[in-house]
């Protein structure tokens, strides 16, 4: 605190910026002329100690991030996923106190990719700013994909990226976002059949055949990538981003009758119209169907 007098208010950044090393480096470059030498030495030493164990590790772990869309644990969705509970959740950790700072689709995705608040990432809605020029010129160059590449990881992304990816003039369907060695990005928003996918910049179209079911296609892309790995290959960082269970709620034919008779939980908010709530809450149909 004794050395902060030289920092100007206009240069102070939101704390979320420090979650990304690239922005931290830019911050230091701008501020180094104002910082006492001893403070700079301390920062350099601390940064080295933080990075060294990971960068110097001989056996770095492979990392797989599976991102589902609009999954709500409060609605009992894990009851339909016994395999996930048995193979992963039972032996893993649950972050019961984790929160999305902007629980809206595209802004939340931008935050996940960068560690930034949505206003800093340049995505503040699901429309024009979603994969718009501000995002592409700034925060998209600083995603976790690029960060992992700097640590000599091979990076892979398959599935839903941002709602407007490939759907607006600023986002060509052949565009491969920076930071990803393998890319299979869903064009547009959540869907399960009749969609396009940008595969390393080449657009592929999928129809209505059961083999085109998006979740299965993503699994196949992931398996293809894993089969390409060889002993001695660099570690990998894989993101599998499904549309499920987001609307339009189109099940694969093999699951059509899987949950016949199952109804949504009848909690205190069921069927209550949020006329005084956020505009998203006001979208809910009123009254709710008794069959829901």
């Amino acid at each position: 605190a004794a050395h902060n007098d030289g920092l100007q208010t206009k240069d102070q950044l939101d704390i979320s910026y420090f979650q990304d090393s690239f922005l931290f480096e830019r911050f230091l470059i701008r501020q180094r002329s104002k910082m006492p030498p001893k403070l700079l030495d301390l920062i350099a030493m601390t940064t080295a100690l933080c990075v060294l164990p990971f960068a110097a590790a001989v056996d770095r772990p492979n990392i797989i991030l599976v991102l589902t869309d609009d999954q709500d644990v409060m609605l009992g969705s894990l009851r339909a996923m016994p395999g996930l509970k048995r193979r992963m959740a039972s032996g893993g950790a649950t972050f019961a106190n984790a929160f999305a700072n902007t629980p809206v689709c595209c802004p939340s995705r931008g935050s996940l990719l960068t560690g930034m608040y949505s206003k800093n990432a340049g995505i503040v809605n699901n429309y024009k700013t979603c994969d718009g020029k501000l995002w592409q010129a700034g925060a998209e160059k600083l995603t976790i994909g690029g960060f992992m590449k700097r640590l000599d990881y091979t990076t892979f992304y398959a599935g839903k990226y941002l709602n407007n990816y490939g759907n607006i003039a600023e986002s060509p369907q052949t565009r491969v976002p920076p930071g990803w060695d393998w890319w299979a990005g869903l064009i547009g928003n959540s869907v399960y059949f009749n969609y396009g996918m940008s595969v390393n910049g080449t657009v592929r179209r999928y129809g209505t055949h059961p083999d085109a079911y998006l979740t299965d296609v993503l699994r196949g892309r992931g398996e293809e990538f894993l089969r390409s790995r060889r002993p001695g290959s660099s570690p990998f960082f894989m993101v599998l981003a499904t549309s499920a269970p987001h609307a339009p709620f189109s099940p694969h034919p093999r699951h059509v009758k899987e949950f016949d008779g199952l109804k949504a939980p009848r909690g205190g908010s069921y069927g209550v119209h949020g006329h005084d709530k956020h505009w998203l809450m006001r979208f809910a149909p009123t009254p709710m169907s008794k069959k829901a």
Side-chain angles (χ1 to χ4, degrees):
H3 296 293
N4 271 344
D5 294 340
L7 301 183
Q8 299 177 11
T9 302
K10 67 181 179 66
D11 288 325
Q12 292 175 346
L13 303 181
D14 189 289
I15 188 64
S16 63
Y17 276 122
F18 291 96
Q19 296 176 16
D20 191 287
S21 67
F22 301 95
L23 285 170
F24 188 39
E25 289 170 4
R26 290 186 180 182
F27 174 76
L28 291 179
I29 290 171
R30 286 209 311 271
Q31 298 293 349
R32 62 186 175 186
S33 63
K34 309 170 188 176
M35 292 181 178
K38 289 184 179 180
L39 178 58
L40 281 172
D41 291 343
L42 177 61
I43 292 174
M45 184 185 302
T46 304
T47 304
L49 289 174
C50 290
V51 173
L52 184 60
F54 193 10
V58 176
D59 296 319
R60 289 172 293 165
N62 297 315
I63 302 171
I64 300 176
L65 171 62
V66 179
L67 175 63
T68 59
D69 197 352
D70 272 5
Q71 184 169 1
D72 190 335
V73 70
M74 300 302 293
L75 295 178
S77 62
L78 290 183
R79 290 183 298 172
M81 307 176 77
L84 175 69
K85 293 178 66 175
R86 182 176 65 255
R87 296 169 186 161
M88 295 183 67
S90 61
T94 299
F95 297 93
N97 234 9
F99 301 93
N101 64 73
T102 307
V104 179
C105 192
C106 200
S108 185
R109 287 175 172 272
S111 293
L112 178 70
L113 288 165
T114 62
M116 302 179 193
Y117 287 115
S118 58
K119 64 183 178 66
N120 295 337
I123 301 178
V124 296
N125 54 42
N126 288 340
Y127 310 106
K128 190 171 183 179
T129 64
C130 181
D131 206 18
K133 292 181 179 179
L134 184 60
W135 160 260
Q136 293 179 27
E140 189 179 47
K141 299 176 181 179
L142 306 169
T143 65
I144 191 172
F147 180 80
M148 298 305 288
K149 279 182 65 66
R150 287 184 55 166
L151 294 176
D152 197 30
Y153 271 70
T154 299
T155 57
F156 172 98
Y157 194 107
K160 181 176 176 179
Y161 181 55
L162 301 175
N163 304 38
N164 272 341
Y165 172 73
N167 254 7
I168 55 177
E170 295 93 333
S171 179
Q173 296 180 354
T174 56
R175 185 177 74 87
V176 177
W180 305 102
D181 297 308
W182 287 57
W183 176 255
L186 174 67
I187 296 172
N189 204 352
S190 295
V191 70
Y192 300 91
F193 295 107
N194 283 324
Y195 59 88
M197 180 178 288
S198 178
V199 181
N200 295 321
T202 301
V203 177
R204 290 197 56 182
R205 301 291 176 185
Y206 295 81
T208 59
H209 191 277
D211 289 346
Y213 193 67
L214 178 64
T215 309
D216 289 353
V217 169
L218 297 181
R219 179 194 64 196
R221 290 287 173 189
E223 291 175 346
E224 177 188 11
F225 171 73
L226 293 176
R227 285 194 296 268
S228 75
R229 311 302 294 159
R230 296 290 182 268
S233 296
S234 62
F236 65 82
F237 174 67
M238 170 187 280
V239 180
L240 292 170
T242 70
S243 288
H246 194 288
F249 314 124
S250 305
H252 189 284
R254 66 175 174 266
H255 296 309
V256 167
K257 296 185 179 297
E258 193 87 14
F259 303 105
D260 281 356
L262 186 66
K263 292 187 175 182
R266 264 48 175 181
S269 61
Y270 182 84
V272 178
H273 194 279
H275 59 85
D276 59 339
K277 307 300 183 184
H278 187 279
W279 63 268
L280 278 176
M281 301 295 292
R282 299 197 295 271
F283 271 130
T286 305
M288 293 287 287
S289 169
K290 293 182 180 180
K291 297 181 180 180

